[in-house]
Amino acid sequence: MTDLLPLMAAKYNYWIYTILMMTGLYAMIAKNNLVKKIIGMNIFQTAIILFYVSIAYKTGGTLPIIMEGGHGGGHGAINAADYINPLPHTLMLTAIVVSVATMGVALALAIKVYRQYGTLEEDDINHQIRTQAGQ
Amino acid sequence: MIPIDLAILTLVTISGIGALAIKDLLGAAIVFSAYSFLMCLAWAIMGAVDVAFTEAAVGAGVSTIFCVAAVFHTTRRTKD
């Protein structure tokens, strides 16, 4: 217990990742406006990207780039223990592109919903759908 | 002395909650752009430069334009 608390304080990236992810989840579930739900979804996605970038980080690590020449003559990080792990970075590069595509499609659907119902609030849309079904 | 990534991540949390709390969709889009840019700074500090400049171009640039365009095609008013 005594060495757990400094460990939890040193890994503050994961706490902030958890806080951001739960903020996004709360916005997706509890917010009433459709654009606010989409912003919450994007916060959720960036929180997961923050988690992956955090697990790749090494204290004192450099970028995996060989300076000046290469072919044995250059200097830079050669051993895998000396540079930051680039595999999660490449995975999250794809995730960023996917997230902006998802946001574009979601906003286009929100515009279509607004043209159909004249509002972006979820309860108003549900009310209109129920009154139309009741007729 | 507070580490600089902890300071930036605190600002990220504040702007993320602020983007969801503002009762104006255009203001929420601008605060969300600030959130994306601060997150891009945090990733550049953590050594993920490729992720950082993709986020700066795509997250802080293109998605803000998408949000502002969607707000101008619909309405700025929101209840929460």
Side-chain angles (χ1 to χ4, degrees):
Chain A
M1 190 62 196
T2 49
D3 38 331
L4 185 64
L5 285 176
L7 191 69
M8 283 164 67
K11 310 279 185 194
Y12 50 80
N13 275 22
Y14 301 114
W15 291 103
I16 289 173
Y17 144 73
T18 313
I19 291 169
L20 283 177
M21 196 170 76
M22 287 306 121
T23 309
L25 190 64
Y26 165 76
M28 284 173 74
I29 293 172
K31 284 286 176 181
N32 202 24
N33 192 283
L34 291 180
V35 177
K36 285 285 178 72
K37 279 180 191 279
I38 294 166
I39 287 177
M41 184 182 72
N42 234 306
I43 288 176
F44 196 101
Q45 286 167 335
T46 45
I48 289 169
I49 296 170
L50 173 70
F51 172 66
Y52 268 78
V53 171
S54 299
I55 62 174
Y57 184 67
K58 285 172 189 158
T59 308
T62 61
L63 300 181
I65 296 172
I66 296 178
M67 313 285 277
E68 292 170 14
H71 300 293
H75 59 86
I78 305 294
N79 297 317
D82 294 336
Y83 57 82
I84 296 167
N85 188 5
L87 180 63
H89 298 176
T90 54
L91 294 173
M92 288 309 109
L93 212 58
T94 319
I96 289 175
V97 179
V98 169
S99 83
V100 73
T102 317
M103 189 182 191
V105 173
L107 286 171
L109 289 173
I111 292 174
K112 289 294 279 183
V113 166
Y114 182 78
R115 284 182 188 159
Q116 180 82 29
Y117 295 101
T119 179
L120 281 176
E121 307 291 326
E122 196 190 9
D123 51 354
D124 291 349
I125 295 166
N126 282 338
H127 181 70
Q128 287 190 30
I129 290 173
R130 279 199 202 95
T131 50
Q132 280 171 6
Q135 282 169 1
Chain B
M1 186 62 196
I2 302 173
I4 188 164
D5 57 337
L6 179 58
I8 285 182
L9 284 172
T10 313
L11 287 175
V12 162
T13 315
I14 291 170
S15 58
I17 294 172
L20 296 171
I22 285 180
K23 290 196 187 331
D24 175 20
L25 287 184
L26 193 62
I30 300 302
V31 177
F32 183 65
S33 166
Y35 167 87
S36 290
F37 190 74
L38 286 167
M39 196 63 124
C40 140
L41 281 182
W43 292 336
I45 288 167
M46 276 183 241
V49 273
D50 45 354
V51 183
F53 72 67
T54 311
E55 172 72 15
V58 160
V62 177
S63 62
T64 308
I65 294 171
F66 280 178
C67 267
V68 171
V71 169
F72 277 134
H73 276 92
T74 56
T75 178
R76 276 177 71 168
R77 283 195 299 275
T78 175
K79 280 194 278 188
D80 51 354

